[in-house]
Amino acid sequence: MLKLRQPSIKQPKYIWPFCIFIFLAFLLVSFSSYRESKNLLGHQIRENFLPLTSDNVYSHIQQDLLEPIFISRLMAHDTFLKDWTLNPNHSDAAIVRYLNAIDRRFGTKLAFYVDDKTGKYYTPLGINADFKSAADWYLRVKNLPENKNYEINIGRDPNQPSNLDIFINHRVFDYQNQFMGVAGIALSAKKIRELINNYQQRYNRNIYFVDRQGNVTLHTKNFNRPNNLRKYIKEPGLVNNILSSPGGYYQYHRDGHVIDLNIRLINEFNWYLIVEQGEHKVFRNLMYILWFNLSICIFVTLFVLFVARLTIGRYQKNLRELASTDKLTGLANRQIFQESFKDIDEQNDFPISILLFDIDFFKKFNDTYGHSFGDEVLKDVAEVLLSQVRSSDLVCRWGGEEFLVLLHQCPLERAIEKAEQIRSQVANLKLSKGSEAVSLSISGGAACLKPSESLHQIVNRVDTALYAAKEHGRNQIISV
């Protein structure tokens, strides 16, 4: 069987040095980054890490409070609530149903309303006529400045004292802007606890809240400190400085380690948000990052090596295809045909026959219908040739509109039959240019390789036969 010889292309020798260079560059960058990060760590903790975490937690708290404030404002301006309060014959059951609907609609823990005239405290659970226990916060809300109609405060659930609740208390006025009572909702502080849990896990920093006296008021589940700042911050005067300031950066020592603090006063709760981080933990994390970067370095180097070899392999394959095939038709080109013919003697595929075809009046197609139509004609003829020969045979675009076919183990008689089949198939092609039908034919020559005959010699013989076919009227096959 005749095999198509592929041109040899050498593998480039620079892949390994290139990968070693990448590895060393990664190594140098990783160690340099480690040293630089360690040197700048203290500054980054003070100026970026802790303040950023504090700002994020604070912004989320503010965001979580916007909807409850909106709900309490909606209640305070609800015409039903105003009309119900102004109606001397109002039904207590109606306000209880209203508050129950607020809880169901907005998912609040407790909606409430205090009627200033009757002193009753209404909730979805019932009515408290004796309101003395709530008098302190009620009077504080009632006497808020004119430019402030609500307040946010923290209280404990009477049924579960360990649970904190957030109360949004909003003043209610009638249509003449006269004070009528206080409406509001209660939310569980569980969402804020989940928020600081999330940030603590994400940033590996301790986050908790303390009141004005330094008592820890809200913290995560794994908080293992005493319940007051003074019991674990021993630096003289530091706690007093913290609790007398609206915020800032502080530092103290515990168990031989430096601990950095960022403090921020949350005005809505009158609590301090504290974000703290031990520098030794970050140094340990930096070492982990260094080893992680080195692992990435090795992986990237191996990946680059793999991709480079794969890319070069595909590039070489494309080069071999370009060097061995005709770009327009996809057939073997003249150069590779000549190289492959040299292997005939070694493969012992005799008898070997050669067919040479030429498209009749091809110049007329280009001149009349354009070169693009001529290119389509060449591709159509190439498809016919490939469809009529065996996969072991070789079809070549010899030049211009000429095609050369090499048939191994094929005597001349069989080659002539194959040539006639090809000529007939081409003549049956249905071509058109617009509405005009275009006829197509080919002429061909056939010859069988003689012992010790060169490719040049047999091609000359078959070319002579082709010329004779054209001289005798075209659209025919002549053998020599």
Side-chain angles (χ1 to χ4, degrees), residues 340-360:
S340 299
F341 190 83
K342 298 176 182 178
D343 296 332
I344 291 177
D345 291 335
E346 298 177 2
Q347 295 180 20
N348 296 320
D349 284 336
F350 295 98
I352 290 178
S353 295
I354 288 183
L355 307 177
L356 181 61
F357 296 99
D358 184 271
I359 301 175
D360 296 330

Side-chain angles (χ1 to χ4, degrees), residues 142-237:
K142 181 177 180 179
N143 296 314
L144 286 173
E146 290 185 5
N147 61 348
K148 186 177 181 181
N149 286 323
Y150 72 91
E151 74 160 14
I152 303 173
N153 67 321
I154 304 294
R156 296 194 178 272
D157 189 336
N159 300 320
Q160 295 178 302
S162 60
N163 292 343
L164 292 174
D165 290 332
I166 302 172
F167 293 89
I168 315 293
N169 307 310
H170 204 293
R171 296 195 295 177
V172 181
F173 297 92
D174 63 14
Y175 299 109
Q176 283 72 43
N177 205 32
Q178 299 298 314
F179 180 78
M180 292 195 305
V182 175
I185 58 173
L187 301 170
S188 174
K190 180 181 178 182
K191 193 169 186 179
I192 297 180
R193 191 189 301 274
E194 292 174 351
L195 174 67
I196 63 176
N197 266 320
N198 178 47
Y199 273 92
Q200 180 161 309
Q201 293 174 4
R202 185 186 303 178
Y203 298 111
N204 196 26
R205 299 174 189 119
N206 291 321
I207 304 173
Y208 53 96
F209 294 86
V210 299
D211 61 18
R212 287 283 193 169
Q213 289 71 45
N215 298 312
V216 178
T217 54
L218 190 63
H219 55 77
T220 56
K221 294 180 180 179
N222 58 351
F223 187 81
N224 56 0
R225 310 277 183 80
N227 59 1
N228 192 288
L229 288 180
R230 303 180 191 277
K231 294 182 179 180
Y232 60 88
I233 298 180
K234 302 299 182 181
E235 275 78 350

Side-chain angles (χ1 to χ4, degrees), residues 201-416:
Q201 293 174 4
R202 185 186 303 178
Y203 298 111
N204 196 26
R205 299 174 189 119
N206 291 321
I207 304 173
Y208 53 96
F209 294 86
V210 299
D211 61 18
R212 287 283 193 169
Q213 289 71 45
N215 298 312
V216 178
T217 54
L218 190 63
H219 55 77
T220 56
K221 294 180 180 179
N222 58 351
F223 187 81
N224 56 0
R225 310 277 183 80
N227 59 1
N228 192 288
L229 288 180
R230 303 180 191 277
K231 294 182 179 180
Y232 60 88
I233 298 180
K234 302 299 182 181
E235 275 78 350
L238 182 58
V239 174
N240 290 335
N241 292 338
I242 292 173
L243 298 179
S244 61
S245 170
Y249 169 80
Y250 301 91
Q251 192 178 80
Y252 73 97
H253 294 79
R254 186 177 70 240
D255 301 330
H257 299 299
V258 177
I259 308 298
D260 299 289
L261 295 176
N262 184 271
I263 312 296
R264 180 168 190 161
L265 179 63
I266 308 296
N267 291 314
E268 291 86 353
F269 301 156
N270 204 25
W271 287 355
Y272 285 98
L273 169 64
I274 298 182
V275 180
E276 71 171 30
Q277 184 169 24
E279 292 186 1
H280 63 287
K281 293 183 178 180
V282 182
F283 286 139
R284 185 173 64 239
N285 290 339
L286 282 178
M287 183 57 69
Y288 293 152
I289 292 173
L290 174 63
W291 286 111
F292 178 72
N293 287 340
L294 292 178
S295 301
I296 292 179
C297 167
I298 295 173
F299 171 78
V300 169
T301 302
L302 294 176
F303 180 74
V304 169
L305 177 62
F306 170 76
V307 172
R309 293 185 66 88
L310 182 64
T311 302
I312 291 173
R314 291 182 177 177
Y315 176 70
Q316 290 174 330
K317 180 181 178 182
N318 291 336
L319 286 180
R320 283 193 292 266
E321 290 179 355
L322 290 174
S324 62
T325 58
D326 173 64
K327 185 177 180 180
L328 177 64
T329 61
L331 302 178
N333 60 24
R334 186 167 186 161
Q335 178 182 354
I336 203 65
F337 187 94
Q338 291 171 339
E339 293 178 1
S340 299
F341 190 83
K342 298 176 182 178
D343 296 332
I344 291 177
D345 291 335
E346 298 177 2
Q347 295 180 20
N348 296 320
D349 284 336
F350 295 98
I352 290 178
S353 295
I354 288 183
L355 307 177
L356 181 61
F357 296 99
D358 184 271
I359 301 175
D360 296 330
F361 304 110
F362 181 72
K363 185 176 183 301
K364 183 185 70 174
F365 293 118
N366 285 333
D367 296 341
T368 305
Y369 305 112
H371 288 277
S372 60
F373 184 80
D375 290 344
E376 293 301 319
V377 170
L378 290 172
K379 288 190 284 187
D380 290 342
V381 173
E383 289 180 4
V384 171
L385 290 169
L386 290 174
S387 68
Q388 295 299 312
V389 301
R390 299 165 296 182
S391 60
S392 57
D393 297 328
L394 183 59
V395 182
C396 162
R397 185 181 177 191
W398 194 243
E401 66 272 22
E402 290 186 340
F403 298 90
L404 196 65
V405 181
L406 192 150
L407 308 170
H408 77 97
Q409 296 182 355
C410 180
L412 182 59
E413 294 78 9
R414 176 59 183 148
I416 295 172

Side-chain angles (χ1 to χ4, degrees), residues 114 116 119 121 128 130-143 151 182:
V114 179
D116 187 66
Y121 181 82
N128 183 3
D130 183 12
F131 192 53
K132 293 181 180 180
S133 61
D136 290 341
W137 72 262
Y138 178 77
L139 291 176
R140 185 177 67 250
V141 175
K142 181 177 180 179
N143 296 314
E151 74 160 14
V182 175

Side-chain angles (χ1 to χ4, degrees), residues 73-101:
R73 182 182 293 116
L74 186 69
M75 294 173 63
H77 292 85
D78 196 333
T79 55
F80 166 80
L81 189 61
K82 292 183 179 183
D83 293 342
W84 180 89
T85 306
L86 294 172
N87 182 6
N89 299 318
H90 58 230
S91 167
D92 290 346
I95 191 65
V96 171
R97 287 195 301 270
Y98 170 79
L99 296 173
N100 197 12

